[in-house]
Amino acid sequence: MQCNQFLNRMFSKACEYGIKAAIFIALKSYQGERVSLKDIAAKINSPEAFTAKILQKLAKNNIVNSVKGAAGGFEIEKHKIASIQLAEIVDAIDGDSIYIGCGLGLNKCSEDHPCPVHHKFAAVREELKKMLESTNLEELALGIKSGASYLRT
Amino acid sequence: MQCNQFLNRMFSKACEYGIKAAIFIALKSYQGERVSLKDIAAKINSPEAFTAKILQKLAKNNIVNSVKGAAGGFEIEKHKIASIQLAEIVDAIDGDSIYIGCGLGLNKCSEDHPCPVHHKFAAVREELKKMLESTNLEELALGIKSGASYLRT
DNA sequence: TTTAATTCGGACAATTTTATCCTATTTAAT
DNA sequence: ATTAAATAGGATAAAATTGTCCGAATTAAA
Ligand code: FES
Ligand code: FES
């Protein structure tokens, strides 16, 4: 008997992979290295082909550069790394409804027609928004570099 | 062409329905009325059969009482309403990973082996947890009763 | 006792999310 | 030029979530 029940998340799996991938790419880019899909998937412990799709999305959103062909891979221009906010990555993959939308699924969140949890929820959601908008890739990458944090279990 | 993309949520659809249903049942219970699945689904604008499953879950978790047969329906004992926290409902339907689990999907969130966003994320998540644990069904129901908030768009 | 209004719960269907496979294309190196 | 190492992207599959259907069980009321 498999007890599957219960695994709601703040971010989708795709988004989790996307964030971790971006961090790893940023880290390597600082070292002047370009990384392959294979390396990324191994490092962040994600399914390769699925990760490829996510990277395509990040590339289309100009968050990472992809380079085709032998010796190709993914990279981020060093000077851009510190200016990429977590919010941009989440936005590219999950959209902004997590920190914009109504907590109880009303068409839109509004003061004029609030859902029952609006006032309490909006505060938390705003915290999340601020957090995502004030956290950049550089600091996240530095945490990995210094050994203060980890990309996989 | 349907543009479906992007609809991540804080709570699952099931959980959204569950919260709204519980609020409506609480409201009616204060008025000494028991409500049918049909009424609930109509009031919160949810698919009936799906809502039935969710109500079964709430019943099994002793959050609502279900009464079978003609003139049956759902109710919550008045004296319990103020003591039911939002967290209990979320927990019964979505589990606790939303306010306990790692934001980047590591097996477990821990200070000893933190993911890159741990410190920033844990603060927001804790806010969410506090909010869910300090909000009870009574206040939510009162918002609806007073016309200050709405259950559907 | 019959009937009608209910919830219960199993089976199933549709949709979305997650994951895989395979071919085409690009590019560096030989 | 040829080859090998990459990403791109379409097609498909698997799994999870969301949604539907229907018969069984329960209960109040006629
Ligand atoms: S209306 Fe629901 S969170 Fe604002
Ligand atoms: S380890 Fe990821 S949020 Fe704590």
Side-chain angles (χ1 to χ4, degrees):
Chain A
M1 182 184 49
Q2 204 174 345
C3 188
N4 228 1
Q5 216 176 8
F6 295 155
L7 258 170
N8 210 45
R9 326 166 182 289
M10 190 78 74
F11 308 117
S12 71
K13 216 92 190 64
C15 194
E16 288 176 2
Y17 295 151
I19 293 169
K20 293 198 253 188
I23 292 171
F24 181 57
I25 296 168
L27 181 63
K28 288 299 187 177
S29 292
Y30 272 129
Q31 299 165 10
E33 290 176 42
R34 186 181 288 161
V35 277
S36 71
L37 167 63
K38 230 176 102 181
D39 289 349
I40 295 169
K43 197 69 175 189
I44 72 176
N45 193 28
S46 66
E48 219 174 288
F50 188 45
T51 307
K53 308 292 187 191
I54 298 162
L55 287 168
Q56 281 174 43
K57 216 174 242 186
L58 292 182
K60 272 175 190 138
N61 281 269
N62 294 308
I63 291 165
V64 306
N65 297 130
S66 80
V67 180
K68 286 185 177 181
F74 298 87
E75 64 191 8
I76 306 177
E77 293 146 74
K78 282 184 195 177
H79 75 272
K80 274 188 59 180
I81 297 176
S83 73
I84 297 174
Q85 308 304 320
L86 203 39
E88 296 176 57
I89 300 175
V90 172
D91 218 83
I93 301 173
D94 276 352
D96 58 10
S97 54
I98 189 88
Y99 57 90
I100 292 288
C102 169
L104 294 189
L106 299 194
N107 282 349
K108 72 186 211 57
C109 169
S110 99
E111 290 286 337
D112 294 341
H113 190 92
C115 74
V117 304
H118 173 83
H119 287 96
K120 300 218 167 193
F121 182 79
V124 172
R125 197 189 52 191
E126 187 60 25
E127 276 304 298
L128 174 64
K129 182 161 179 274
K130 274 188 201 150
M131 185 277 268
L132 294 174
E133 287 174 347
S134 68
T135 302
N136 67 64
L137 257 190
E138 180 176 58
E139 44 187 321
L140 299 179
L142 289 181
I144 297 297
K145 188 177 186 183
S146 73
S149 59
Y150 304 84
L151 285 170
R152 41 179 303 174
T153 304
Chain B
M1 181 184 51
Q2 206 172 345
C3 186
N4 231 357
Q5 215 177 12
F6 294 155
L7 258 170
N8 210 46
R9 326 164 183 289
M10 190 78 75
F11 308 118
S12 70
K13 216 91 190 64
C15 193
E16 289 176 3
Y17 296 150
I19 293 170
K20 292 198 253 188
I23 292 171
F24 181 59
I25 296 168
L27 182 62
K28 289 298 187 177
S29 293
Y30 272 130
Q31 300 165 9
E33 291 175 41
R34 186 182 288 160
V35 278
S36 71
L37 167 62
K38 230 176 102 182
D39 288 349
I40 295 169
K43 197 70 176 187
I44 72 177
N45 193 29
S46 65
E48 218 175 290
F50 188 45
T51 307
K53 308 292 187 190
I54 298 162
L55 288 169
Q56 281 175 43
K57 216 174 241 183
L58 292 183
K60 273 176 188 136
N61 281 269
N62 293 309
I63 292 165
V64 306
N65 297 131
S66 79
V67 180
K68 284 185 179 181
F74 298 88
E75 63 191 8
I76 308 178
E77 293 147 74
K78 282 184 195 177
H79 76 273
K80 274 188 59 180
I81 297 177
S83 73
I84 297 173
Q85 307 304 320
L86 204 39
E88 296 175 58
I89 300 175
V90 172
D91 217 83
I93 302 173
D94 276 351
D96 58 10
S97 54
I98 189 87
Y99 56 90
I100 291 289
C102 170
L104 294 188
L106 299 194
N107 282 349
K108 72 186 209 58
C109 169
S110 99
E111 290 286 337
D112 294 341
H113 190 91
C115 73
V117 304
H118 173 81
H119 287 96
K120 299 218 166 195
F121 182 81
V124 173
R125 196 189 52 191
E126 187 60 25
E127 276 304 297
L128 174 64
K129 182 161 179 273
K130 274 187 201 150
M131 186 276 269
L132 294 174
E133 287 175 346
S134 68
T135 302
N136 66 63
L137 257 190
E138 181 176 57
E139 45 187 319
L140 299 179
L142 288 181
I144 297 297
K145 188 177 186 184
S146 73
S149 60
Y150 305 83
L151 284 170
R152 41 179 303 173
T153 303

